[in-house]
Amino acid sequence: MHITLIEPPRYYSPTSPISTVVIPPLGPAYIAAALEEAGHQVLVIDALAQGMATYTPFRSIYLRGLPIDRICDQIPKDTKMIGVSCMFSAQWLVVRELIREAKRRFPGVPVVLGGEHGTGMPELSMEQSPVDVVVTGEGEETAVELAARIQEGRPFDDI
């Protein structure tokens, strides 16, 4: 089954050293490895790495990395599950917009939120976005089980 995992763009401020640091997306990398080991084909879209020289206005600040429309343009038409990482609650506004656009373009494809934000605020994440599933805690085993259920057409509300 084809699965797409997305590391979103980051807020950028030239006066904030933390916003200029680039860190490999280890969470999506671990999830991708577990899914590939289970036999799935995984595409990881690292919006920051793919658009390090791209700065897009977002509300009153800038995002560094691919803009949301270009991220969604890369999602293969045959993807059966979309996973989005949100490691920091400060990223939630842009991640929420990314989830909305992914659901608009792929209405029948489950969108899964992972990362610290979803773990800390799963109910709020579900209330504020059209995300289908929030994975709390470490997600490798859950992602594999979720993908198997989606592939088999079985419900996943009891995982």
Side-chain angles (χ1 to χ4, degrees), residues 74-87:
Q74 290 188 40
I75 300 172
K77 299 298 179 210
D78 62 347
T79 198
K80 300 295 184 215
M81 183 171 94
I82 299 169
V84 181
S85 177
C86 186
M87 286 305 293

Side-chain angles (χ1 to χ4, degrees), residues 53-136:
T54 303
Y55 299 89
T56 306
F58 182 79
R59 300 185 180 213
S60 61
I61 58 169
Y62 283 87
L63 295 177
R64 183 179 186 194
L66 295 178
I68 291 170
D69 61 331
R70 288 188 43 210
I71 294 167
C72 290
D73 288 347
Q74 290 188 40
I75 300 172
K77 299 298 179 210
D78 62 347
T79 198
K80 300 295 184 215
M81 183 171 94
I82 299 169
V84 181
S85 177
C86 186
M87 286 305 293
F88 305 103
S89 290
Q91 289 180 285
W92 177 239
L93 294 177
V94 70
V95 169
R96 184 175 63 189
E97 293 304 315
L98 175 58
I99 291 168
R100 286 181 181 149
E101 182 62 13
K103 286 302 288 183
R104 187 186 72 76
R105 292 194 192 194
F106 299 89
V109 175
V111 175
V112 181
L113 176 68
E116 293 294 325
H117 176 78
T119 295
M121 292 185 254
E123 294 88 3
L124 182 72
S125 301
M126 298 285 292
E127 290 170 8
Q128 292 185 348
S129 74
V131 70
D132 297 291
V133 177
V134 176
V135 175
T136 59

Side-chain angles (χ1 to χ4, degrees), residues 15-28:
T15 60
S16 172
I18 192 70
S19 77
T20 62
V21 175
V22 177
I23 302 168
L26 293 179

Side-chain angles (χ1 to χ4, degrees), residues 42-57:
V42 182
L43 169 67
V44 177
I45 301 170
D46 184 348
L48 181 58
Q50 290 178 252
M52 288 185 51
T54 303
Y55 299 89
T56 306

